[in-house]
Amino acid sequence: MSKNDTLHLAQEFLQRMGSGAEPAEIARLFSENTEWEIAGDTGVLPWIGQKSGRAAVIDFVNDSRAMIERVNFEVHEILASEQRAVILGSLASKLKRNGKTVKTDFAIILTVGNGEIIRFQMLENSFAVSQWARD
């Protein structure tokens, strides 16, 4: 893939997530065997940890929509090469069950191959997220 193709795939992912697209529509951007990783305390939120397959994407979208309300999601920059896109930004989310809000900067690393996302990795302040979700 070209750098522009990788950038377009990252932008399409963000557009689908932000528009409330159906989870299966978002998952179609990913390979059947995609690797999914969000670092953090695996006992706190269902999407934290290492998972695989399109089902991991669908579960993330469904679970996060059910459990949190997006307060703010801001993309500062998208860096792209032929094989990766890195999305840098900040977010604020409210936990629906207790109304508490967490703010964190993030980096999402998308590895691509054959026109699909083959690996998703999100880095954020996992300590703050764990504290927020536990209270």
Side-chain angles (χ1 to χ4, degrees):
M1 289 183 60
S2 73
K3 178 180 172 180
N4 285 340
D5 292 335
T6 302
L7 178 62
H8 176 73
L9 190 56
Q11 291 169 329
E12 184 64 22
F13 168 71
L14 290 170
Q15 189 279 325
R16 290 185 190 188
M17 287 292 294
S19 70
E22 289 297 317
E25 183 183 342
I26 296 166
R28 280 195 284 279
L29 296 172
F30 291 78
S31 75
E32 290 281 343
N33 301 313
T34 197
E35 296 175 29
W36 182 271
E37 179 183 356
I38 301 178
D41 186 346
T42 58
V44 177
L45 296 166
W47 56 82
I48 303 294
Q50 295 182 338
K51 312 211 185 294
S52 62
R54 285 186 178 149
V57 180
I58 291 170
D59 289 346
F60 167 74
V61 174
N62 286 330
D63 291 342
S64 63
R65 286 179 180 173
M67 297 178 72
I68 62 174
E69 176 185 329
R70 180 174 34 174
V71 175
N72 184 44
F73 186 90
E74 192 173 326
V75 173
H76 303 298
E77 191 168 6
I78 304 174
L79 309 169
S81 69
E82 289 79 15
Q83 296 150 343
R84 279 188 196 79
V86 178
I87 304 165
L88 303 172
S90 58
L91 62 83
S93 299
K94 184 189 307 184
L95 198 57
K96 289 181 180 180
R97 68 176 162 79
N98 65 14
K100 291 179 70 172
T101 300
V102 67
K103 296 177 184 178
T104 184
D105 293 327
F106 67 84
I108 297 172
I109 304 162
L110 303 175
T111 305
V112 299
N114 299 321
E116 300 176 306
I117 301 167
I118 60 175
R119 185 167 191 263
F120 174 100
Q121 181 182 21
M122 183 170 178
L123 306 170
E124 61 186 345
N125 183 341
S126 58
F127 181 76
V129 171
S130 293
Q131 293 297 317
W132 163 75
R134 283 196 183 282
D135 294 340

